[in-house]
């Protein structure tokens, strides 16, 4: 009952607590280990989330994995087909490979939320053209031929081009990034899904498509405990859903912003149990200085050093968030992504949604 009250009513008023210090001045508020009561409350929270359909249900997890396995098999057939048409030998086309990277909520939670889609990025070698992705004789055609795919819709002219469809009851948004590599191997890609991999992208569109995967992995790398983060984020997302605060187009923070806010609380209380983290989520952000002259929310304060200090491509550097930029200082709720180009994940937030 306590947690149901939190999910339905919290945020209108928060408990009075000590002033929250900006991250540039304080990295950890408390590193205390969870109490016995915290652990009991976390078990109760997990039980509640499971009852609401947002727990780590084995069937839900299996559905997500089965969908990705199906898409992976189709993607490998696609790359092989293009490779053979490009003049590669059968062996070279087989070895060229491709790789799917979940992005967005599915990547962060490692499970499906009720009614949620799966955003996924397909990494392919240099010889695959974007036209092959949308062509009826390419990936779009292979998906159309699959009996388990329905509602196929291509959006090639979007800022981040995407294929939208449904498979096994799960909505999918499939993106493409082409890399300056003859072979896509998991070992080489997972070791470089950071700023260096941007320089392997063939063009600006490929780099923008890659950014979602980099942000998701960056968040997971910066939380002290992934299991606690994921449990807390599930509770936060359920609260957001109940309160109707998840519509990015209406000026509310999007999914990435809520994830970064949750991750920051996990950093402030690195050893806390999910029940306490969920409570602290509201007390921290109720007191944070948002609005005019807002204090930005970072997960890593010195991002240049963490990324090796390498230069961004010019077309991405222009979008890199900076406190010296008048436009960037004007954001009412600056929640900054953890990899370069640093972006404000809550740039759509305006006065009325911020007040809510």
């Amino acid at each position: 009952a306590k947690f149901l009250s939190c999910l339905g009513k919290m945020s209108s008023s928060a408990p009075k607590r000590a002033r929250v210090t900006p991250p540039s001045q304080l990295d950890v508020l408390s590193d205390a280990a969870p109490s016995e009561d915290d652990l009991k409350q976390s078990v109760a929270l997990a039980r509640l989330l499971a009852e609401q359909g947002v727990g780590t249900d084995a069937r839900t997890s299996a559905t997500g994995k089965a969908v990705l396995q199906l898409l992976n098999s189709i993607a490998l057939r696609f790359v092989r087909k293009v490779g053979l048409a490009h003049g590669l030998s059968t062996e070279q086309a087989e070895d060229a490979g491709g790789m799917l990277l979940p992005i967005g909520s599915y990547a962060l939670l490692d499970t499906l939320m009720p009614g949620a889609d799966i955003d996924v990025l397909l990494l392919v070698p240099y010889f695959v053209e974007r036209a092959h992705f949308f062509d009826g004789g390419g990936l779009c055609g292979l998906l159309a031929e699959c009996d388990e795919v329905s509602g196929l819709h291509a959006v090639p002219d979007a800022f981040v081009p995407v294929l939208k469809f449904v498979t096994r009851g799960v909505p999918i948004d499939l993106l493409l990034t082409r890399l300056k590599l003859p072979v896509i191997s998991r070992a080489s890609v997972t070791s470089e899904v950071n700023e260096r991999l941007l320089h392997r992208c063939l063009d600006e569109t490929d780099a923008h498509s890659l950014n979602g995967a980099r942000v998701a992995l960056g968040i997971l790398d910066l939380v002290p405990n992934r299991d606690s983060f994921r449990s807390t984020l599930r509770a936060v997302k359920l609260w957001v859903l109940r309160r109707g605060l998840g519509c990015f187009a209406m000026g509310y923070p999007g999914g990435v912003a809520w994830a970064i806010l949750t991750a920051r609380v996990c950093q402030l209380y690195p050893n806390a149990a999910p029940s306490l983290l969920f409570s602290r989520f509201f007390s921290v952000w109720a007191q944070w200085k948002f609005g005019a002259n807002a204090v930005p929310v970072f997960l890593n304060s010195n991002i240049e050093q963490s990324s090796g200090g390498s230069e961004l491509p010019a077309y991405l550097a222009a979008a890199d968030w900076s406190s010296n930029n008048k436009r960037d200082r004007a954001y009412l709720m600056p929640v900054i992504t953890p990899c370069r180009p640093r972006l404000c994940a809550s740039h759509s937030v305006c006065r009325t949604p911020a007040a809510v």
Side-chain angles (χ1 to χ4, degrees):
K2 177 180 178 181
F3 290 117
L4 281 171
S5 176
C6 288
L7 291 169
K9 299 177 182 179
M10 254 178 139
S11 86
S12 58
S13 61
K16 293 182 178 179
R17 299 183 186 277
R19 179 181 175 87
V20 175
T21 307
S24 58
Q25 303 174 34
L26 183 65
D27 290 326
V28 173
L29 286 174
S30 172
D31 60 359
S35 67
E36 184 176 344
D37 185 60
D38 290 336
L39 296 176
K40 289 181 180 178
Q41 293 293 341
S42 294
V43 172
L45 177 60
R47 186 182 303 117
L48 169 65
L49 293 175
E51 291 171 356
Q52 301 301 313
V54 294
T56 53
D57 181 80
R59 289 174 297 178
T60 302
S61 298
T63 298
K65 291 177 181 178
V67 165
L68 291 179
Q69 288 174 355
L70 173 64
L71 295 182
N72 186 66
S73 65
I74 296 174
L76 292 178
R77 285 168 51 205
F78 162 61
V79 174
R80 180 181 183 278
K81 181 178 180 180
V82 175
L84 292 173
H86 188 72
L88 300 183
S89 68
T90 301
E91 183 178 3
Q92 289 173 325
E94 291 280 1
D95 292 341
M99 181 175 172
L100 290 176
L101 286 178
I103 57 181
S105 294
Y106 185 81
L108 292 168
L109 295 174
D110 197 32
T111 191
L112 280 169
M113 293 283 289
D117 60 5
I118 294 180
D119 299 320
V120 62
L121 173 70
L122 173 59
L123 300 176
V124 295
Y126 73 93
F127 55 81
V128 177
E129 300 289 340
R130 191 165 300 278
H132 297 139
F133 188 65
F134 293 104
D135 188 70
L139 182 58
C140 197
L142 290 175
L143 289 170
E145 294 171 0
C146 181
D147 293 337
E148 297 188 77
V149 172
S150 62
L152 182 60
H153 176 58
V155 191
D157 298 323
F159 179 72
V160 178
V162 60
L163 283 173
K164 294 177 171 286
F165 54 94
V166 176
T167 181
R168 299 185 181 180
V170 180
I172 304 293
D173 281 2
L174 181 60
L175 284 61
L176 177 75
T177 287
R178 301 166 304 138
L179 300 175
K180 300 173 185 175
L181 295 171
V183 174
I184 302 296
S185 68
R186 182 166 294 276
S188 63
V189 167
T190 52
S191 65
E192 288 194 5
V193 181
N194 51 34
E195 190 174 322
R196 288 193 299 273
L197 196 59
L198 284 176
H199 295 275
R200 295 188 181 274
C201 293
L202 283 172
D203 63 22
E204 182 175 353
T205 301
D206 293 314
H208 286 306
S209 298
L210 177 67
N211 205 49
R214 295 175 61 243
V215 168
L217 290 172
I219 292 172
L220 291 174
D221 284 344
L222 290 167
V223 293
N225 185 309
R226 289 190 180 186
D227 289 338
S228 294
F229 164 71
R230 283 170 166 157
S231 295
T232 308
L233 183 57
R234 290 187 192 102
V236 169
K237 281 185 169 290
L238 181 57
W239 172 79
V240 167
L241 182 65
R242 289 267 181 98
R243 300 283 293 182
L245 302 176
C247 185
F248 185 78
M250 294 186 66
Y252 293 109
V256 171
W258 291 116
I260 293 173
L261 292 172
T262 304
R264 186 66 187 118
V265 173
C266 291
Q267 291 179 331
L268 294 172
Y269 300 91
N271 298 318
S275 60
L276 183 63
L277 291 170
F278 183 52
S279 174
R280 293 293 186 265
F281 177 89
F282 297 98
S283 58
V284 167
W285 302 123
Q287 298 174 73
W288 201 267
K289 181 172 173 48
F290 291 127
N293 302 311
V295 175
V297 179
F298 295 101
L299 294 182
N300 44 351
S301 58
N302 196 341
I303 197 168
E304 287 82 7
Q305 287 186 6
S306 66
S307 63
S310 59
E311 291 296 323
L312 284 174
Y315 56 81
L316 293 176
D320 203 20
W321 184 93
S322 172
S323 59
N324 297 322
N325 187 308
K326 183 178 180 180
R327 177 205 63 190
D328 292 340
R329 290 199 307 271
Y331 290 131
L332 297 178
M333 190 179 179
V335 180
I336 311 304
T337 56
C339 56
R340 300 185 69 202
R342 293 162 294 194
L343 303 174
C344 180
S346 50
H347 64 83
S348 69
V349 174
C350 49
R351 290 191 180 277
T352 300
V356 172

